[in-house]
Amino acid sequence: MILYSTDQVFLPLVCISIASMVEHCRGNRPPVTVLLHDVDETARKGASSFLEELGLQLDLVDVDGSWCQPWAKARGQSPAKFGFLRMHELLQRPVGRVVVVDADTRFMDDVNKLLAHPLDGCAVAAVNDMAVVAEGRVPDLCAKLGIPQSPGYFNSGLLVIDLEKWLHANTGQAAIDVFTQRSEILTFNDQCALNAVLAGNFRQLPIRWNALQGTHRADWPVSMHHFAGHFKPWKMGLCRRLPSVEKIMGAPNIDFYRAACRSARSHNLDPAGNQLLETISAGLLLGKMSVNGRLRQHTLRSSSSLLTSFASQHPHLME
Ligand SMILES: [Mn+2]
């Protein structure tokens, strides 16, 4: 089972991520569940007609996200971020393993490999967060969460979960309890909460499965792009044509999202959504300054020597 949790704004990107996943499936296509938070009828119909063409076993599940208020709102977060923590109540078919995926992702490899990946008795497998590595923040974040520095701090953009073990350890509820009881330890929301609860008890996946934009070197292999950084290939307005910006996002990714967004729009799904303002401001001085700032930060991160030392210390994660 592949699981996405979204609100209306990110629904088009979820559809695009699913399309990229299907494109790279060699064997069976795993069933897909999308948890929908505050999605209106037009967008729901658009998503189901877009996804219908992919020939999937698909469950679109409407979720009432009010259970995580007021703390989600207080943190400025959409309830969609937390839906997967209660997935066992929401999934509509029996499942052993769940791959939880962010909306801002593009698959380049067969997701069935993750469904078969050994978990060595762990409830969760995930990829070390290389942005956190690049910025040298692993020691501080781990200390704040009260967890060991090894095997490190993972990114929650892609999680492989053994549902039975996850339920047995009450992992989802324990992460929810962090929000209501220990929220002062949190820096990155659900990601920090899960890292705190698992306390290093996760199986490390090769970093190719969560290739974070901005900290993934051009010569490292990629099984899934994660555009969590400052540059989004589906937006950026005209700035995406700047050679420096295009180089970071990768021309093939820009082309992929351009075509995918066109297809989404033909199903009445608008990936630009509320991003019109950004498109307009991108041409203005403010936009240019913010792009320059992002470029500076990108250069700092991507040239960090901590990335190279991580790579040499963890050769098995670089394959
Ligand atoms: Mn993300």
Side-chain angles (χ1 to χ4, degrees), residues 81 102-105 155 157 212 226-228 232:
K81 277 217 86 116
D102 262 14
D104 52 351
T105 54
N155 182 282
L212 274 186
H226 185 182
F227 300 101
K232 312 289 191 192

Side-chain angles (χ1 to χ4, degrees), residues 76-151:
Q77 296 294 312
S78 161
K81 277 217 86 116
F82 310 104
F84 78 97
L85 296 173
R86 297 180 67 170
M87 64 184 144
H88 58 286
E89 299 167 39
L90 304 166
L91 297 179
Q92 306 198 329
R93 55 185 91 212
V95 26
R97 217 179 250 207
V98 184
V99 180
V100 183
V101 188
D102 262 14
D104 52 351
T105 54
R106 177 189 178 195
F107 279 92
M108 306 299 289
D109 199 348
D110 189 348
V111 75
N112 285 305
K113 293 179 188 170
L114 290 177
L115 290 165
H117 200 88
L119 294 193
D120 295 345
C122 292
V124 174
V127 177
N128 288 74
D129 190 312
M130 297 303 282
V132 168
V133 169
E135 291 178 353
R137 298 176 69 185
V138 176
D140 282 356
L141 270 178
C142 290
K144 195 171 165 193
L145 295 172
I147 61 173
Q149 277 190 44
S150 174

Side-chain angles (χ1 to χ4, degrees), residues 158-178:
L158 179 128
L159 302 167
V160 183
I161 294 175
D162 179 317
L163 193 55
E164 200 186 310
K165 291 212 165 60
W166 166 276
L167 286 178
H168 185 73
N170 215 8
T171 312
Q173 186 56 47
I176 292 167
D177 292 344
V178 176

